[in-house]
Amino acid sequence: MGKNRSSSAAASKWRYCNPGYYLKRPKRLALLFIAFVGASFFIWDRQTLVREYEVEISQLSEEVNQLKSTLEELKSIHGDVFKSIDSRSSKPSKKVISEDPLDIQRREKVKDAMIHAWSSYEKYAWGHDELQPQSKNGVDSFGGLGATLIDALDTLYIMGLEEQFQRAREWVANTLDFNKDYDASVFETTIRVVGGLLSAYDLSGDKVFLEKAKDITDRLLPAWNTPSGIPYNTINLAHGNARNPGWTGGNSILADSGTEQLEFIALSERTGDPKYQRVVEKVVEVLNGTYPDDGLLPIYINPHSGTASYSTITFGAMGDSFYEYLLKVWVQGNRTSAVRGYREMWEKSMKGLFSLVRRSTPSSFLYICEKSGDMLTDKMDELACFAPGMLALGASGYGQTDSQKYLLLAEELAWTCYNFYQSTPTKLAGENYFFRSGQDMNVGTSWNILRPETIESLFYLWRLTGNKTYQEWGWNIFQAFEKNSRIETGYVGLKDVNTGVKDNMMQSFFLAETLKYLYLLFSPPSVISLDEWVFNTEAHPLRIMARHTGEISGRSEKRTIRIRGRKEGKFEG
Ligand SMILES: *[C@@H]1O[C@H](CO)[C@@H](O)[C@H](O)[C@H]1NC(C)=O
Ligand SMILES: *[C@@H]1O[C@H](CO)[C@@H](O)[C@H](O)[C@H]1NC(C)=O
Ligand SMILES: *[C@@H]1O[C@H](CO)[C@@H](O)[C@H](O)[C@H]1NC(C)=O
């Protein structure tokens, strides 16, 4: 039965293939037709969809190619720095693509300025410390160490000026000679030459810079052989005899004695030899021994007793970078407990700074006074305009209330400093300002020597707040330099910011600091990230390396040297 049924069912299936079957049944024919049209429509629809996707995919890959070539262009505009620095940070390409075209344009203008300054130096003053652009010759203001050349190394590198960097590198390798019978300033030599060489080393990895940095620092080291450990401020580079300049009455200067910590600590870390770090940390320990509650030290320190001599307290000339380095040693050590003591000293000093702050009338500009004994003077140096940047850099280490308070202080001081520029006919700042009741600010010493401090602070404020106002202010200052200071053979200062009369000197810090901070002001924050680099007081970036209690760390574990007991080293991570 079963068999029969199935064979008859098969036979009945075949009848559907017979056209005659449908002719007799028109309804079934219509149904079949509809099914056929539906199926073909379905297949056609899928195919179109596939084609659409294919078009979309090819458009997307075209876009990817375009983005790739944009990135290549940006890289070539930006030079080597993206390859060498950006690749080490987290997500470079995204940031590059979303960049403001105005930033790129402005950065290029700053790079043009650097090319102009550098090629003038190459042409007229090669190997000398500084260029005198009007008389078109070089002068050796620092003993003939090629100060401008060394100061410019990292700026050239960051801007991707490879050929220029290579020529400078060859000069350092083959011609630079520190064996000079010259009484050099320990401070100037450290911040420009040691700092410049170490920065070039950190950026390029080229050992020749480290060897040279060690050579010059070994020549400076005998300056710390004093009864207190506070260094003498000048030393003969060939013979090693150290002394203080006559005009200080035998005293050492606070900033000159307390602005070698970053460079010497970095050198110890990179060579594995702790002797450099030891002498500069001793200085801070000695000063800490009699550190006042407000953290403010007078500018003269007796190198025999290690205590302060009666003199001015200031965040301007001869005081400034001592306070800056208390903060930056803490940043350089990556803010660990091992460097907490520096942060503590700095916080004390910032309380002291707060106590020196006053407001002008009628416009309520905030400014930092100087102090002698109990008397305040309503005078502020342009040099003290590094302070807003320092306050912004340090603000994040406070709790929320203090953090906001010090950031606000930074922003208000930056506004004052910007007005040092905006208030003169040339729109360039004088060297210092007096604040008199009812008159806001008046220029005191009226020269401008291409100083960087205000731009430095604008750079930090922009990086740390993201507020583009600071870029605008920086751009305005740059344009005033272009208008007043650029001449055919380089950049010069002004003898008087009221008249615009020019001087005859292109300061080496114009290439090291002013143009570098301007360039970075218009570069993505990943270029020399503040998480990875700390700038010395001459704007030379040094790599941050975490410090741990009881150690001086070298680049490798092998080089790690413990200067205290093992126990201490074990307890602190
Ligand atoms: C300075 O002295 C204070 C108080 O004695 C101490 O807490 C701090 O660690 C010291 N700082 C340095 C850098 O030695
Ligand atoms: C940006 O900075 C300027 C100057 O300090 C300030 O007036 C302005 O309110 C700031 N803008 C924002 C959005 O914080
Ligand atoms: C510094 O510390 C932060 C965390 O606090 C860490 O992410 C970073 O890798 C450290 N950097 C270095 C150079 O040790």
Side-chain angles (χ1 to χ4, degrees), residues 411-412 414-415 461 465 467-470 473:
E411 298 197 274
E412 287 215 55
W415 170 240
L461 279 166
T465 69
N467 186 334
K468 283 181 158 283
T469 303
Y470 302 116
W473 293 357

Side-chain angles (χ1 to χ4, degrees), residues 504-515:
N504 184 25
M505 184 67 89
M506 187 169 79
Q507 304 284 338
S508 82
F509 54 67
F510 183 65
L511 291 82
E513 301 189 67
T514 314
L515 292 177

Side-chain angles (χ1 to χ4, degrees), residues 22 25-36:
Y22 293 101
R25 299 173 181 78
K27 268 189 195 160
R28 293 209 174 176
L29 179 66
L31 247 153
L32 189 72
F33 182 72
I34 288 166
F36 172 76

Side-chain angles (χ1 to χ4, degrees), residues 29-324:
L29 179 66
L31 247 153
L32 189 72
F33 182 72
I34 288 166
F36 172 76
V37 168
S40 352
F41 184 79
F42 179 78
I43 289 163
W44 174 81
D45 184 54
R46 288 290 104 181
Q47 276 176 344
T48 329
L49 216 62
V50 166
R51 239 176 285 131
E52 274 171 11
Y53 279 131
E54 272 170 0
V55 170
E56 222 171 288
I57 284 166
S58 80
Q59 273 173 351
L60 278 173
S61 68
E62 214 169 278
E63 256 173 69
V64 166
N65 282 338
Q66 270 175 1
L67 285 173
K68 270 186 193 160
S69 69
T70 314
L71 185 60
E72 285 306 311
E73 269 170 41
L74 282 170
K75 271 184 189 168
S76 67
I77 288 173
H78 217 289
D80 219 28
V81 75
F82 280 108
K83 259 179 276 159
S84 54
I85 298 161
D86 233 39
S87 63
R88 294 176 202 161
S89 64
S90 40
K91 298 163 214 127
S93 43
K94 261 191 208 158
K95 283 178 189 157
V96 175
I97 286 161
S98 66
E99 242 197 301
D100 187 340
L102 188 62
D103 285 351
I104 299 174
Q105 204 184 318
R106 288 177 169 180
R107 182 164 79 223
E108 284 306 295
K109 287 276 191 285
V110 176
K111 187 170 168 180
D112 282 346
M114 179 66 185
I115 292 169
H116 180 62
W118 176 259
S119 52
S120 305
Y121 169 79
E122 271 199 319
K123 191 163 175 193
Y124 302 113
W126 181 250
H128 289 287
D129 284 330
E130 289 179 307
L131 164 67
Q132 293 188 314
Q134 309 264 19
S135 47
K136 301 180 196 160
N137 62 287
V139 279
D140 287 332
S141 350
F142 300 99
L145 311 180
T148 294
L149 188 148
I150 294 175
D151 249 353
L153 284 167
D154 51 9
T155 309
L156 294 172
Y157 191 92
I158 290 166
M159 291 184 181
L161 296 169
E162 272 170 52
E163 285 171 24
Q164 291 90 328
F165 179 82
Q166 276 309 319
R167 285 200 290 277
R169 187 253 174 225
E170 291 310 303
W171 185 88
V172 169
N174 302 320
T175 313
L176 178 57
D177 175 17
F178 293 125
N179 196 30
K180 297 276 162 62
D181 185 5
Y182 177 81
D183 286 345
S185 159
V186 171
F187 164 77
E188 298 288 359
T189 310
T190 299
I191 65 170
R192 294 178 205 233
V193 180
V194 181
L197 290 167
L198 284 176
S199 181
Y201 172 66
D202 275 3
L203 288 165
S204 71
D206 189 333
K207 285 261 190 230
V208 75
F209 298 121
L210 184 60
E211 281 158 26
K212 291 290 178 180
K214 190 174 172 317
D215 179 357
I216 184 64
T217 309
D218 284 335
R219 291 168 193 274
L220 299 176
L221 218 42
W224 277 263
N225 288 333
T226 65
S228 68
I230 302 292
Y232 292 124
N233 295 157
T234 65
I235 189 161
N236 188 286
L237 294 179
H239 308 304
N241 30 343
R243 59 182 180 84
N244 276 335
W247 53 271
T248 64
N251 284 300
S252 298
I253 297 163
L254 177 63
D256 286 38
S257 309
T259 313
E260 290 86 8
Q261 282 69 22
L262 284 188
E263 297 81 357
F264 280 42
I265 290 169
L267 185 61
S268 279
E269 287 172 341
R270 283 145 191 72
T271 59
D273 187 340
K275 68 182 174 189
Y276 312 105
Q277 176 162 359
R278 267 194 198 133
V279 295
V280 294
E281 297 218 273
K282 171 84 186 295
V283 172
V284 180
E285 270 168 42
V286 169
L287 294 174
N288 198 20
T290 57
Y291 213 51
D293 282 343
D294 64 4
L296 298 177
L297 288 178
I299 54 174
Y300 288 144
I301 312 288
N302 185 318
H304 299 280
S305 65
T307 56
S309 306
Y310 184 85
S311 48
T312 307
I313 285 169
T314 175
F315 280 87
M318 299 197 276
D320 48 16
S321 46
F322 164 70
Y323 305 103
E324 178 187 346

Side-chain angles (χ1 to χ4, degrees), residues 211-506:
E211 281 158 26
K212 291 290 178 180
K214 190 174 172 317
D215 179 357
I216 184 64
T217 309
D218 284 335
R219 291 168 193 274
L220 299 176
L221 218 42
W224 277 263
N225 288 333
T226 65
S228 68
I230 302 292
Y232 292 124
N233 295 157
T234 65
I235 189 161
N236 188 286
L237 294 179
H239 308 304
N241 30 343
R243 59 182 180 84
N244 276 335
W247 53 271
T248 64
N251 284 300
S252 298
I253 297 163
L254 177 63
D256 286 38
S257 309
T259 313
E260 290 86 8
Q261 282 69 22
L262 284 188
E263 297 81 357
F264 280 42
I265 290 169
L267 185 61
S268 279
E269 287 172 341
R270 283 145 191 72
T271 59
D273 187 340
K275 68 182 174 189
Y276 312 105
Q277 176 162 359
R278 267 194 198 133
V279 295
V280 294
E281 297 218 273
K282 171 84 186 295
V283 172
V284 180
E285 270 168 42
V286 169
L287 294 174
N288 198 20
T290 57
Y291 213 51
D293 282 343
D294 64 4
L296 298 177
L297 288 178
I299 54 174
Y300 288 144
I301 312 288
N302 185 318
H304 299 280
S305 65
T307 56
S309 306
Y310 184 85
S311 48
T312 307
I313 285 169
T314 175
F315 280 87
M318 299 197 276
D320 48 16
S321 46
F322 164 70
Y323 305 103
E324 178 187 346
Y325 271 31
L326 291 178
L327 177 70
K328 286 184 173 175
V329 170
W330 177 71
V331 173
Q332 178 184 36
N334 208 22
R335 308 167 192 226
T336 62
S337 58
V339 280
R340 183 75 210 166
Y342 286 88
R343 170 82 196 191
E344 285 168 15
M345 289 177 75
W346 182 76
E347 288 190 4
K348 275 190 183 178
S349 302
M350 291 309 100
K351 275 193 203 148
L353 185 151
F354 218 90
S355 74
L356 301 180
V357 163
R358 296 290 180 274
R359 279 191 189 279
S360 75
T361 53
S363 310
S364 206
F365 287 114
L366 216 56
Y367 61 95
I368 310 171
C369 294
E370 297 185 351
K371 189 177 184 182
S372 299
D374 287 331
M375 247 203 31
L376 293 189
T377 314
D378 300 288
K379 167 180 173 271
M380 183 170 163
D381 288 347
E382 196 281 335
L383 280 167
C385 287
F386 82 98
M390 171 183 71
L391 286 162
L393 182 62
S396 63
Y398 285 110
Q400 203 184 351
T401 313
D402 275 343
S403 171
Q404 278 172 359
K405 173 176 126 179
Y406 283 103
L407 188 60
L408 187 64
L409 176 64
E411 298 197 274
E412 287 215 55
L413 288 171
W415 170 240
T416 304
C417 289
Y418 178 56
N419 277 277
F420 285 174
Y421 288 75
Q422 291 305 295
S423 61
T424 73
T426 50
K427 303 269 188 261
L428 288 177
E431 179 74 357
N432 54 46
Y433 284 80
F434 288 91
F435 292 83
R436 297 192 185 89
S437 179
Q439 299 179 24
D440 285 327
M441 55 183 77
N442 294 304
V443 180
T445 306
S446 62
W447 69 58
N448 177 298
I449 56 170
L450 305 165
R451 285 201 191 279
E453 289 73 18
T454 300
I455 293 166
E456 171 184 346
S457 284
L458 297 177
F459 158 74
Y460 280 107
L461 279 166
W462 173 70
R463 276 278 175 103
L464 297 164
T465 69
N467 186 334
K468 283 181 158 283
T469 303
Y470 302 116
Q471 288 184 307
E472 290 307 312
W473 293 357
W475 180 248
N476 291 341
I477 294 174
F478 175 65
Q479 286 186 306
F481 278 129
E482 287 294 281
K483 190 168 170 211
N484 294 282
S485 292
R486 184 174 176 135
I487 64 172
E488 188 132 340
T489 48
Y491 285 84
V492 293
L494 301 185
K495 285 179 180 163
D496 187 339
V497 294
N498 296 306
T499 62
V501 175
K502 294 171 171 56
D503 72 13
N504 184 25
M505 184 67 89
M506 187 169 79

Side-chain angles (χ1 to χ4, degrees), residues 331-336 531-533 543-548:
V331 173
Q332 178 184 36
N334 208 22
R335 308 167 192 226
T336 62
D531 295 332
E532 292 166 42
W533 300 88
R543 262 195 187 282
I544 288 172
M545 288 188 174
R547 281 177 63 186
H548 300 289

